[in-house]
Short mmCIF file of all heavy atoms in Angstrom, two decimals:
data_model
loop_
_atom_site.label_atom_id
_atom_site.label_comp_id
_atom_site.label_asym_id
_atom_site.label_seq_id
_atom_site.Cartn_x
_atom_site.Cartn_y
_atom_site.Cartn_z
N GLN A 328 -6.24 -14.98 10.10
CA GLN A 328 -6.42 -16.32 10.69
C GLN A 328 -5.43 -17.30 10.15
O GLN A 328 -4.89 -18.15 10.88
CB GLN A 328 -7.85 -16.81 10.42
CG GLN A 328 -8.89 -16.08 11.26
CD GLN A 328 -10.31 -16.41 10.85
OE1 GLN A 328 -10.63 -16.53 9.66
NE2 GLN A 328 -11.20 -16.57 11.81
N VAL A 329 -5.09 -17.19 8.87
CA VAL A 329 -4.06 -18.08 8.32
C VAL A 329 -2.70 -17.73 8.87
O VAL A 329 -1.90 -18.60 9.19
CB VAL A 329 -4.02 -17.93 6.74
CG1 VAL A 329 -2.88 -18.78 6.18
CG2 VAL A 329 -5.34 -18.38 6.16
N LYS A 330 -2.39 -16.42 9.03
CA LYS A 330 -1.13 -16.03 9.65
C LYS A 330 -1.00 -16.59 11.06
O LYS A 330 0.07 -17.03 11.49
CB LYS A 330 -1.03 -14.50 9.69
CG LYS A 330 -0.74 -13.85 8.37
CD LYS A 330 -0.62 -12.34 8.54
CE LYS A 330 -0.34 -11.63 7.24
NZ LYS A 330 -0.22 -10.15 7.38
N LEU A 331 -2.10 -16.58 11.78
CA LEU A 331 -2.14 -17.13 13.14
C LEU A 331 -1.82 -18.61 13.13
O LEU A 331 -1.06 -19.13 13.95
CB LEU A 331 -3.48 -16.86 13.79
CG LEU A 331 -3.63 -17.20 15.29
CD1 LEU A 331 -2.72 -16.29 16.12
CD2 LEU A 331 -5.08 -17.04 15.70
N ALA A 332 -2.41 -19.31 12.14
CA ALA A 332 -2.18 -20.79 12.03
C ALA A 332 -0.73 -21.08 11.62
O ALA A 332 -0.21 -22.16 11.92
CB ALA A 332 -3.12 -21.37 11.03
N ARG A 333 -0.06 -20.10 11.00
CA ARG A 333 1.32 -20.30 10.54
C ARG A 333 2.38 -19.91 11.57
O ARG A 333 3.57 -20.08 11.30
CB ARG A 333 1.55 -19.46 9.29
CG ARG A 333 1.03 -20.05 7.99
CD ARG A 333 1.55 -19.23 6.81
NE ARG A 333 3.00 -19.26 6.74
CZ ARG A 333 3.67 -19.74 5.70
NH1 ARG A 333 3.01 -20.19 4.62
NH2 ARG A 333 4.98 -19.74 5.67
N LEU A 334 1.99 -19.44 12.73
CA LEU A 334 2.97 -19.04 13.72
C LEU A 334 3.93 -20.19 14.02
O LEU A 334 3.48 -21.35 14.25
CB LEU A 334 2.28 -18.58 15.00
CG LEU A 334 1.59 -17.22 14.94
CD1 LEU A 334 0.96 -16.88 16.32
CD2 LEU A 334 2.54 -16.12 14.53
N GLY A 335 5.21 -19.90 13.99
CA GLY A 335 6.21 -20.94 14.27
C GLY A 335 6.74 -21.59 12.98
O GLY A 335 7.71 -22.33 13.00
N ILE A 336 6.09 -21.30 11.84
CA ILE A 336 6.54 -21.82 10.54
C ILE A 336 7.30 -20.73 9.82
O ILE A 336 6.87 -19.57 9.76
CB ILE A 336 5.31 -22.26 9.72
CG1 ILE A 336 4.54 -23.37 10.41
CG2 ILE A 336 5.75 -22.70 8.29
CD1 ILE A 336 3.24 -23.71 9.73
N PRO A 337 8.50 -21.02 9.25
CA PRO A 337 9.26 -20.00 8.55
C PRO A 337 8.43 -19.27 7.50
O PRO A 337 7.68 -19.88 6.75
CB PRO A 337 10.38 -20.80 7.89
CG PRO A 337 10.57 -21.99 8.80
CD PRO A 337 9.16 -22.34 9.29
N LYS A 338 8.56 -17.95 7.44
CA LYS A 338 7.73 -17.15 6.55
C LYS A 338 7.92 -17.52 5.07
O LYS A 338 7.06 -17.29 4.27
CB LYS A 338 8.02 -15.64 6.79
CG LYS A 338 7.51 -15.15 8.12
CD LYS A 338 7.75 -13.63 8.21
CE LYS A 338 7.18 -13.01 9.38
NZ LYS A 338 6.88 -13.24 10.55
N ASP A 339 9.14 -17.98 4.71
CA ASP A 339 9.40 -18.31 3.32
C ASP A 339 9.06 -19.72 2.93
O ASP A 339 9.37 -20.17 1.81
CB ASP A 339 10.88 -18.03 3.00
CG ASP A 339 11.85 -18.84 3.83
OD1 ASP A 339 11.36 -19.54 4.77
OD2 ASP A 339 13.06 -18.81 3.59
N ASN A 340 8.41 -20.46 3.82
CA ASN A 340 7.98 -21.82 3.51
C ASN A 340 6.68 -21.78 2.71
O ASN A 340 5.64 -21.40 3.25
CB ASN A 340 7.77 -22.59 4.81
CG ASN A 340 7.41 -24.08 4.55
OD1 ASN A 340 7.02 -24.44 3.46
ND2 ASN A 340 7.53 -24.89 5.57
N PRO A 341 6.74 -22.17 1.39
CA PRO A 341 5.53 -22.05 0.57
C PRO A 341 4.52 -23.18 0.83
O PRO A 341 3.36 -23.09 0.36
CB PRO A 341 6.09 -22.11 -0.84
CG PRO A 341 7.30 -22.93 -0.73
CD PRO A 341 7.88 -22.63 0.62
N TYR A 342 4.92 -24.22 1.51
CA TYR A 342 4.03 -25.35 1.81
C TYR A 342 4.01 -25.63 3.30
O TYR A 342 4.70 -26.53 3.78
CB TYR A 342 4.47 -26.60 1.02
CG TYR A 342 4.47 -26.35 -0.48
CD1 TYR A 342 5.63 -26.05 -1.20
CD2 TYR A 342 3.26 -26.37 -1.19
CE1 TYR A 342 5.60 -25.83 -2.54
CE2 TYR A 342 3.22 -26.17 -2.58
CZ TYR A 342 4.41 -25.89 -3.24
OH TYR A 342 4.39 -25.64 -4.59
N PRO A 343 3.24 -24.86 4.06
CA PRO A 343 3.33 -24.93 5.54
C PRO A 343 2.70 -26.17 6.16
O PRO A 343 2.84 -26.39 7.35
CB PRO A 343 2.57 -23.67 5.97
CG PRO A 343 1.62 -23.41 4.88
CD PRO A 343 2.31 -23.83 3.62
N ASN A 344 1.93 -27.00 5.37
CA ASN A 344 1.34 -28.20 5.90
C ASN A 344 0.50 -27.92 7.16
O ASN A 344 0.68 -28.45 8.25
CB ASN A 344 2.44 -29.22 6.28
CG ASN A 344 1.83 -30.62 6.50
OD1 ASN A 344 0.79 -30.97 5.95
ND2 ASN A 344 2.50 -31.42 7.32
N LEU A 345 -0.48 -27.01 6.96
CA LEU A 345 -1.38 -26.62 8.07
C LEU A 345 -2.36 -27.77 8.37
O LEU A 345 -2.65 -28.62 7.52
CB LEU A 345 -2.15 -25.36 7.73
CG LEU A 345 -1.31 -24.10 7.45
CD1 LEU A 345 -2.21 -22.93 7.13
CD2 LEU A 345 -0.38 -23.79 8.61
N PRO A 346 -2.92 -27.78 9.59
CA PRO A 346 -3.88 -28.83 9.94
C PRO A 346 -5.06 -28.89 9.02
O PRO A 346 -5.55 -27.86 8.55
CB PRO A 346 -4.29 -28.47 11.38
CG PRO A 346 -3.16 -27.62 11.93
CD PRO A 346 -2.64 -26.87 10.73
N GLY A 347 -5.55 -30.11 8.81
CA GLY A 347 -6.71 -30.30 7.91
C GLY A 347 -7.90 -29.43 8.22
O GLY A 347 -8.47 -28.82 7.30
N PRO A 348 -8.32 -29.37 9.48
CA PRO A 348 -9.49 -28.49 9.81
C PRO A 348 -9.30 -27.05 9.46
O PRO A 348 -10.26 -26.38 9.07
CB PRO A 348 -9.64 -28.72 11.35
CG PRO A 348 -9.01 -30.02 11.62
CD PRO A 348 -7.87 -30.14 10.68
N VAL A 349 -8.07 -26.54 9.57
CA VAL A 349 -7.76 -25.16 9.22
C VAL A 349 -7.99 -24.95 7.70
O VAL A 349 -8.61 -23.99 7.30
CB VAL A 349 -6.31 -24.78 9.61
CG1 VAL A 349 -5.99 -23.35 9.03
CG2 VAL A 349 -6.15 -24.77 11.13
N LEU A 350 -7.49 -25.88 6.90
CA LEU A 350 -7.62 -25.78 5.45
C LEU A 350 -9.07 -25.91 5.02
O LEU A 350 -9.54 -25.20 4.12
CB LEU A 350 -6.79 -26.83 4.78
CG LEU A 350 -5.24 -26.75 5.04
CD1 LEU A 350 -4.51 -27.85 4.32
CD2 LEU A 350 -4.71 -25.37 4.61
#
Side-chain angles (χ1 to χ4, degrees):
Q328 287 171 320
V329 177
K330 288 182 179 179
L331 188 65
R333 281 189 62 120
L334 287 181
I336 298 172
K338 290 184 174 27
D339 60 353
N340 183 343
Y342 299 100
N344 194 27
L345 300 181
V349 171
L350 299 180

